Amino acid sequence: MKLKPEFIAHESDDTSVLVPTGDANWSGVIQGNKTFGAILELLKDDVTEQEIVDALHKRFDAPEGAIERDVTRALDELRKIGAVE
């Protein structure tokens, strides 16, 4: 899966945001933390959910299962708004 070009990711300090362009079929802003920003960064390339989980395990020290839950939750939201292909 990959982030659609109709969406722009931006990171500032500890906040990550995802905004649609005029070509997107969704309007609004999604705001998240560094983990969400890392997920968006990985979605610039075609990756699987497991590849995202593996990359985040290398980057963040988190309790067992926490990264998996965060990735699943984030991807579910991105799918709902049509942000990933």
Side-chain angles (χ1 to χ4, degrees), residues 14-61:
D14 290 339
T15 304
S16 298
V17 293
L18 181 69
V19 294
T21 66
D23 296 331
N25 291 326
W26 182 82
S27 62
V29 174
I30 295 181
Q31 187 173 351
N33 59 14
K34 283 186 175 188
T35 303
F36 183 63
I39 292 168
L40 294 176
E41 182 67 28
L42 291 164
L43 285 169
K44 289 181 179 180
D45 297 313
D46 193 20
V47 293
T48 66
E49 185 168 343
Q50 188 59 52
E51 289 171 329
I52 294 170
V53 168
D54 293 344
L56 294 183
H57 270 295
K58 292 177 183 175
R59 183 170 174 185
F60 298 106
D61 181 28

